[in-house]
Amino acid sequence: MFDIWLAIYDTLLTLGRVFIDIAISIVTGWLLAYGALKSKTFENIYISLAEIFESVPVISFFPVVLIFFVFTIGGCLGIELAVLFLVFTAVVWNIWMGIYQAFKTVPSEMEEVIRNYRFGFVGKMLRLYIPFSMPRIAANLIPSFADALFYITVSEVFSIGTKCYEVPGIGTLIAQYTAEGDYTDAIYALIVLGIFTTTITLLLREFADYSVKKYGLDTEASLKSFKRGRFRIRYSARLSNSKGVFAKLGKYLTKPPYFTRQNRLMEEEEEAKKRKIPINMISAGIGILLLIIILYGAYSVIISVKPSTWSYLISTLPQDLIELGADYLRVAVIALMSFIFAVFVGYYIARHTNADRVIVPIIQTFSAFPAPAYFPLLYGFTYTYVSSIFGPFTNEFYVLLLGFISTFYYIFYSFWIGVKNLPSEYWELMDNLKLGFWTKMRKIILPATFPYIIAGMSSTINSAWGGLAIGEYWPDIYQSQTLEVRTGLMKALAVADNQGNLALVGWLSLIFAIIVVIYSVLFTRKMMDLARKKYVAEEGIYAA
């Protein structure tokens, strides 16, 4: 018999873990992004490592979890910390990348004002960087929450080889019901989870709207300057929001620095340069220290592996690269599908309030449901019909579908919040010129939301690997049927992990990490720099 109170209790435990990890992700993201601004060395190391770990599926962290948390710490505490860490690896990366991208695209005029008023680290963070990052954080909270629940069934219940570990939570409960074939109670548990996720996603949506209105610079959503024939300052984004960043700074000084003598200004600039050098050195030192620790760990692993094992692993390299190429092709298809969905659906929803209020909560609730919990039921109910259409490509269809479900919302939410955060002057210009849809997209909307698109696309591409890792090899997905593809690196990883072959898991993860570093250097950072230099829409306000 279904125990509703047990389901509620387990859901609260799961949600508590999720929000603890989200809070840690935001705070550490602010500190790391600021360090990346101050040191190019730290930025290069930080972004490369973030790209690697964001792309590495949760399943690849299991050996680390097993060795450190379960064996070293041990007991219930060790398993609980292991689950928190696994969920953390699912939610942290897109929050970090979103904050980093926000810090990188702060308009130079704002940074100049902050420098002129000589604010220190805390002042800069509280009065500029944190407020400016709030819309990006709000945009990433929803997919992070959804991503955490997506991976919850492989985090609260995880195994290496034949050994299984679990903690109380809704993921564990649903997994137990599904394993026992009690699909009715599993559906009831999903309904309980759905009530909580719907409520939370509605609250997160309200927070996203609030952050855009309060912290977005002159957005159309916050521009309500006239009401009943009177001009109302408190509803003006030009006056109120700009005041929050610029004019309000005046109360902290009795005399603005623009009226000081020239020699005093030169002294202040010299002092600022002196203060900047230690920050650069500290940031670079931290980045180098992290790199040394990782290299030492890699060296320790290398010398612990027998030469015969290395010979076998190296001999598999050509096949491993072919499998990786097949997976990149799948990721490209998923990313393209997600981009098309985001551009058309995201734009329509952002421009139609009624659709926004109805469709966004539906997408949020759907994306927050853990796909590993309901996907076996979807697979079982639709397999006959889908196989009649796709034939030998049926498994590929399901793998791509799972990958799309696991990651489409990253770029969707980023683009959606980017359109909502677009300064109202751009909408006025498009209306005055009577631009058509495709012209708007090509000349204004896509360039103006380019930073959001890059941040969302980066998370979409990197997170797609998690869906592939689950879908490419899923034994006993439904009534003893196995979902698997013919070739793929994520399948090889899953098979090796299922067999307890940690050496092969580490080798495949190493190959994957090297390719991801190359990808981050050639794509993500170059696109981020391009977004900062040419596509910061807020700077158009000052240019005008």
Side-chain angles (χ1 to χ4, degrees):
M1 183 176 179
F2 179 69
D3 188 344
I4 187 172
W5 297 112
L6 177 62
I8 293 174
Y9 174 74
D10 285 347
T11 301
L12 291 176
L13 286 178
T14 296
L15 295 177
R17 296 185 185 103
V18 169
F19 283 104
I20 287 174
D21 285 327
I22 288 176
I24 295 174
S25 302
I26 293 173
V27 174
T28 54
W30 283 331
L31 299 177
L32 292 170
Y34 187 81
L37 284 182
K38 297 302 177 181
S39 171
K40 194 67 176 177
T41 301
F42 179 79
E43 180 184 19
N44 291 334
I45 297 173
Y46 167 54
I47 296 303
S48 296
L49 293 179
E51 289 285 345
I52 293 172
F53 290 124
E54 183 179 13
S55 299
V56 174
V58 172
I59 192 175
S60 298
F61 291 101
F62 287 174
V64 177
V65 167
L66 183 69
I67 294 171
F68 181 75
F69 292 104
V70 178
F71 288 166
T72 304
I73 298 178
C76 296
L77 176 62
I79 297 176
E80 185 66 46
L81 292 176
V83 173
L84 284 172
F85 176 77
L86 290 172
V87 178
F88 180 79
T89 62
V91 306
V92 66
W93 313 115
N94 65 299
I95 291 179
W96 280 5
M97 295 301 290
I99 294 175
Y100 162 74
Q101 195 274 334
F103 279 28
K104 288 280 286 185
T105 55
V106 171
S108 57
E109 290 81 0
M110 288 184 172
E111 293 180 321
E112 183 178 356
V113 171
I114 288 294
R115 285 195 301 269
N116 289 337
Y117 279 99
R118 303 178 62 191
F119 283 118
F121 166 73
V122 175
K124 290 178 181 178
M125 293 294 288
L126 294 179
R127 293 175 175 84
L128 177 59
Y129 291 109
I130 289 178
F132 193 82
S133 68
M134 291 307 294
R136 308 291 172 88
I137 293 174
N140 284 304
L141 278 180
I142 300 172
S144 293
F145 176 69
D147 213 20
L149 291 179
F150 177 88
Y151 287 108
I152 207 67
T153 53
V154 295
S155 296
E156 290 184 340
V157 183
F158 62 95
S159 61
I160 302 293
T162 59
K163 186 66 174 179
C164 182
Y165 304 90
E166 64 180 48
V167 295
I170 193 63
T172 302
L173 186 63
I174 294 174
Q176 290 175 352
Y177 286 146
T178 304
E180 296 169 357
D182 190 355
Y183 297 117
T184 301
D185 285 351
I187 292 174
Y188 288 153
L190 283 171
I191 292 174
V192 173
L193 178 60
I195 294 173
F196 278 92
T197 55
T198 301
T199 302
I200 292 173
T201 50
L202 287 174
L203 293 175
L204 292 177
R205 177 179 175 274
E206 292 300 319
F207 176 71
D209 290 339
Y210 169 80
S211 65
V212 169
K213 293 177 182 178
K214 183 174 179 61
Y215 300 108
L217 183 61
D218 200 19
T219 63
E220 188 182 46
S222 60
L223 189 57
K224 299 179 180 179
S225 301
F226 292 93
K227 187 174 182 181
R228 296 182 181 178
R230 293 178 296 160
F231 185 76
R232 305 186 66 180
I233 293 178
R234 71 186 184 95
Y235 286 118
S236 173
R238 293 186 182 89
L239 297 179
S240 180
N241 288 346
S242 297
K243 180 181 178 182
V245 181
F246 297 105
K248 290 180 181 179
L249 297 176
K251 67 180 181 181
Y252 297 99
L253 293 175
T254 57
K255 183 183 293 186
Y258 292 107
F259 295 96
T260 57
R261 291 177 299 176
Q262 184 67 24
N263 58 349
R264 178 63 181 274
L265 286 174
M266 295 176 64
E267 293 174 1
E268 291 175 355
E269 291 176 358
E270 189 66 26
E271 292 176 3
K273 290 180 181 179
K274 292 179 180 179
R275 289 196 302 270
K276 184 177 180 181
I277 294 175
I279 296 177
N280 290 343
M281 295 177 62
I282 292 172
S283 300
I286 293 174
I288 294 174
L289 178 62
L290 290 175
L291 186 60
I292 291 174
I293 293 174
I294 293 173
L295 291 176
Y296 176 76
Y299 171 76
S300 301
V301 172
I302 291 172
I303 63 175
S304 66
V305 177
K306 297 179 181 179
S308 58
T309 303
W310 276 116
S311 177
Y312 162 71
L313 294 176
I314 294 175
S315 66
T316 64
L317 181 59
Q319 180 62 30
D320 295 336
L321 294 178
I322 293 174
E323 293 173 343
L324 182 60
D327 277 349
Y328 259 109
L329 182 60
R330 294 186 181 101
V331 170
V333 173
I334 294 170
L336 179 61
M337 293 166 53
S338 301
F339 175 74
I340 294 173
F341 180 87
V343 169
F344 289 98
V345 179
Y347 173 80
Y348 178 82
I349 293 174
R351 297 299 295 155
H352 296 82
T353 304
N354 292 333
D356 188 295
R357 292 175 178 174
V358 175
I359 298 177
V360 171
I362 293 175
I363 294 177
Q364 292 167 343
T365 303
F366 172 77
S367 60
F369 265 80
Y374 68 80
F375 199 80
L377 301 178
L378 177 65
Y379 175 89
F381 294 153
T382 62
Y383 181 81
T384 303
Y385 176 74
V386 172
S387 61
S388 65
I389 298 176
F390 292 96
F393 300 101
T394 299
N395 284 355
E396 285 290 347
F397 168 81
Y398 279 112
V399 170
L400 292 175
L401 176 61
L402 181 60
F404 176 79
I405 292 173
S406 68
T407 195
F408 79 95
Y409 41 81
Y410 283 110
I411 188 170
F412 168 77
Y413 290 134
S414 291
F415 183 77
W416 168 66
I417 205 73
V419 175
K420 292 173 70 71
N421 203 33
L422 191 64
S424 61
E425 286 84 355
Y426 291 94
W427 296 111
E428 295 172 2
L429 176 64
M430 288 185 284
D431 291 339
N432 291 336
L433 295 178
K434 298 180 180 180
L435 300 181
F437 173 78
W438 293 108
T439 305
K440 288 180 183 179
M441 281 289 175
R442 183 168 55 89
K443 292 185 176 294
I444 296 181
I445 295 176
L446 290 179
T449 58
F450 187 72
Y452 293 88
I453 292 174
I454 292 301
M457 182 60 75
S458 176
S459 295
T460 294
I461 292 173
N462 293 332
S463 298
W465 296 99
L468 295 182
I470 296 175
E472 288 190 5
Y473 181 72
W474 194 334
D476 300 323
I477 184 174
Y478 184 81
Q479 295 182 351
S480 301
Q481 288 183 277
T482 297
L483 173 62
E484 63 177 318
V485 296
R486 180 171 299 180
T487 182
L489 190 70
M490 295 301 103
K491 176 189 175 181
L493 265 171
V495 171
D497 180 74
N498 191 57
Q499 297 172 349
N501 190 347
L502 300 184
L504 184 57
V505 170
W507 168 253
L508 296 176
S509 298
L510 174 63
I511 296 174
F512 186 64
I514 293 173
I515 300 300
V516 170
V517 169
I518 296 174
Y519 162 78
S520 68
V521 171
L522 297 180
F523 177 76
T524 304
R525 272 181 289 172
K526 287 185 179 297
M527 292 296 101
M528 290 282 191
D529 291 338
L530 179 63
R532 177 176 174 82
K533 293 176 182 178
K534 296 185 64 176
Y535 297 105
V536 180
E538 291 84 354
E539 290 189 350
I541 296 174
Y542 306 108

